[in-house]
Amino acid sequence: MTHDHLDTPVRAASRPFGRVLTAMVTPFTADGALDLDGAARLAEHLVTEQGNDALVVNGTTGESPTTTDAEKERLIRTVVETVGERARVVAGVGTNDTRHTIELAATAEKAGAHGLLVVTPYYNKPPQAGLLRHFTEVADSSGLPVMVYDIPHRAGVPIETETLVRLAEHGRIVAVKDAKNDITATSWVTSRTDLAFYSGDDASTLPALAVGCVGVVGTSTHFTGADTKRMIEAYDAGDTATALALHRRLLPLFTGIFRTQGTILVKAGLNASKLPAGPVRSPLVEATEDEFAQLRADCAAAGLPLPE
């Protein structure tokens, strides 16, 4: 297979997707159907009110394990049509099947996505040679820039430093969503490559900036996006005191959103805020009364109280 665009590098900016990206939940109607009107309104809110530079759709937070390929395509098109001229739209296309991932990447590109998020193949635990081939073949197949998603506690296998260094040689592999929680490994990769590292753990964003990360792909950023952006901008400006103060204020929600599976609490908070979210799909379950009460307390502690 040959591609005319294979030798065209897209690595040009140190922040190819901006500073703050939210892994957007996928709104559903009360009966569990895809809510495209709600998706458009939520995307608008996240860009206009929460200051997101980019949105990730069809990620795990977007319940990608339980949405169909057709639903994924419709969601990309809707979000691109709504905010695509003001924010980057990154499509989650990663699966544990390279062929299926390539198919989803092609569909996302045709639907107007600006980039691809490709997670480590999960459950089948390929060796590093398999990971290298998987990410390379996906990047070879598409004209879009790729963000590799390193999350060993879900995928079952880390992307080792040497593998990331090799992947950085590819012209279209430009970024990493780093949820490994290994600051030393992150430091080695950022010192040896020009990959744009984005924290994949909300609470680790500020310390990650110190070792060369450029932003965050967040979950709590459905609510903390504007303040998280201020935190990063303060750090960039050398105002570490302000950055640290914001980090400490937001910490209850950075961490609290993960007291149970993050999508569950994001949707509970959005529903309470009269923003589009709706129910979760099985096997996820709705937040309990106690979980919601704790979320309310965490939001208040972060200075971002939910409506009564």
Side-chain angles (χ1 to χ4, degrees):
M1 182 183 296
T2 60
H3 299 277
D4 293 338
H5 51 250
L6 287 189
D7 294 325
T8 305
V10 295
R11 184 181 293 122
S14 60
R15 285 188 166 101
F17 304 108
R19 290 176 170 84
V20 177
L21 299 78
T22 290
M24 193 180 95
V25 298
T26 300
F28 299 130
T29 60
D31 62 357
L34 185 64
D35 179 5
L36 292 177
D37 177 64
R41 288 187 288 126
L42 180 59
E44 181 66 38
H45 170 80
L46 291 174
V47 172
T48 303
E49 303 299 326
Q50 289 296 339
N52 280 271
D53 302 306
L55 300 176
V56 175
V57 296
N58 296 328
T60 311
T61 304
E63 295 179 79
S64 59
T66 55
T67 57
T68 67
D69 290 3
E71 287 176 325
K72 289 177 172 66
E73 180 182 7
R74 293 200 297 273
L75 185 64
I76 295 166
R77 290 187 183 279
T78 296
V79 175
V80 169
E81 288 170 5
T82 304
V83 299
E85 293 185 358
R86 291 169 287 145
R88 311 286 278 174
V89 178
V90 181
V93 299
T95 73
N96 60 355
D97 173 359
T98 305
R99 289 180 299 177
H100 188 201
T101 302
I102 288 171
E103 290 171 3
L104 290 174
T107 300
E109 187 168 9
K110 290 175 185 172
H114 304 112
L116 305 174
L117 178 70
V118 185
V119 72
T120 311
Y122 39 84
Y123 191 75
N124 42 12
K125 296 185 75 171
Q128 294 300 305
L131 297 185
L132 183 65
R133 186 170 72 177
H134 175 80
F135 290 119
T136 299
E137 288 185 356
V138 175
D140 281 348
S141 76
S142 174
L144 296 178
V146 171
M147 178 185 290
V148 169
Y149 185 8
D150 187 10
I151 182 165
H153 66 272
R154 281 196 176 185
V157 59
I159 310 173
E160 301 288 357
T161 295
E162 294 304 319
T163 305
L164 286 164
V165 171
R166 290 277 303 280
L167 290 171
E169 297 170 3
H170 197 292
R172 280 187 302 284
I173 297 177
V174 301
V176 177
K177 179 182 177 182
D178 181 16
K180 190 184 288 177
N181 284 325
D182 183 343
I183 203 79
T184 304
T186 300
S187 301
W188 277 115
V189 181
T190 58
S191 70
R192 294 175 61 191
T193 75
D194 58 358
L195 289 170
F197 262 65
Y198 289 84
S199 176
D201 174 63
D202 299 23
S204 298
T205 304
L206 181 58
L209 294 173
V211 298
C213 288
V214 301
V216 61
V217 180
T219 302
S220 72
T221 47
H222 284 84
F223 311 103
T224 66
D227 285 338
T228 299
K229 192 170 192 178
R230 281 195 282 271
M231 179 185 76
I232 296 170
E233 289 173 343
Y235 182 87
D236 287 347
D239 186 359
T240 55
T242 295
L244 181 57
L246 283 163
H247 165 80
R248 288 174 171 167
R249 176 165 72 77
L250 297 172
L251 195 57
L253 195 50
F254 281 165
T255 59
I257 206 73
F258 301 109
R259 289 181 188 272
T260 185
Q261 203 273 357
T263 306
I264 293 171
L265 292 181
V266 169
K267 283 197 162 183
L270 290 174
N271 286 327
S273 302
K274 301 296 189 288
L275 288 165
V280 295
R281 283 183 177 173
S282 184
L284 298 185
V285 292
E286 304 303 324
T288 66
E289 288 185 13
D290 287 346
E291 287 168 342
F292 180 71
Q294 183 62 61
L295 174 65
R296 186 179 286 283
D298 291 337
C299 287
L304 297 166
L306 292 174
E308 292 295 335

